[in-house]
Structure formats: C-alpha cells, structure tokens
Amino acid sequence: MFEYEIANARRADLIREADAYRLVRDAKRARRSSRSQEPEGSVRAHRSRFGRAA
C-alpha cells in the first residue's frame, strides 16, 4: 500500500512538472510570435552595410 502511495505521488509530481514545462514553452512561443509582429523595423535597417573604418 505504501509503495502505491509513493508511486501515485510521483505520478502527480510528474504531471505538475509537465504542465509547468508546457506553460513555459507556450509562453515563450507566444512571446516570440508577438515579437515578430511588432511594427518597428530592425536596428540594422538604418545603418550602412559596412562598418566604419578605424
């Protein structure tokens, strides 16, 4: 009986850990997709192609 409770607790921990992992992954994915839709241009668009000589 004790082993069953330990296995059940471990299973619950793994499910919580997987849910947290998915939440973080989805948040990163949403942040990336919203960042790509920003109206601002890139920083390099306003610079020349070649750097300044020393």
Side-chain angles (χ1 to χ4, degrees):
M1 189 67 172
F2 183 69
E3 293 171 357
Y4 174 77
E5 291 175 3
I6 290 176
N8 204 13
R10 177 68 178 145
R11 180 178 170 270
D13 286 342
L14 288 173
I15 290 172
R16 272 193 297 271
E17 188 177 331
D19 286 341
Y21 176 80
R22 278 189 220 101
L23 183 65
V24 169
R25 185 187 64 197
D26 292 344
K28 285 181 181 178
R29 187 177 295 154
R31 185 174 178 190
R32 254 184 273 145
S33 69
S34 69
R35 204 181 322 165
S36 66
Q37 295 173 358
E38 289 181 1
E40 299 175 8
S42 67
V43 176
R44 289 192 135 319
H46 301 291
R47 297 183 187 176
S48 68
R49 181 175 179 138
F50 302 102
R52 293 176 50 180

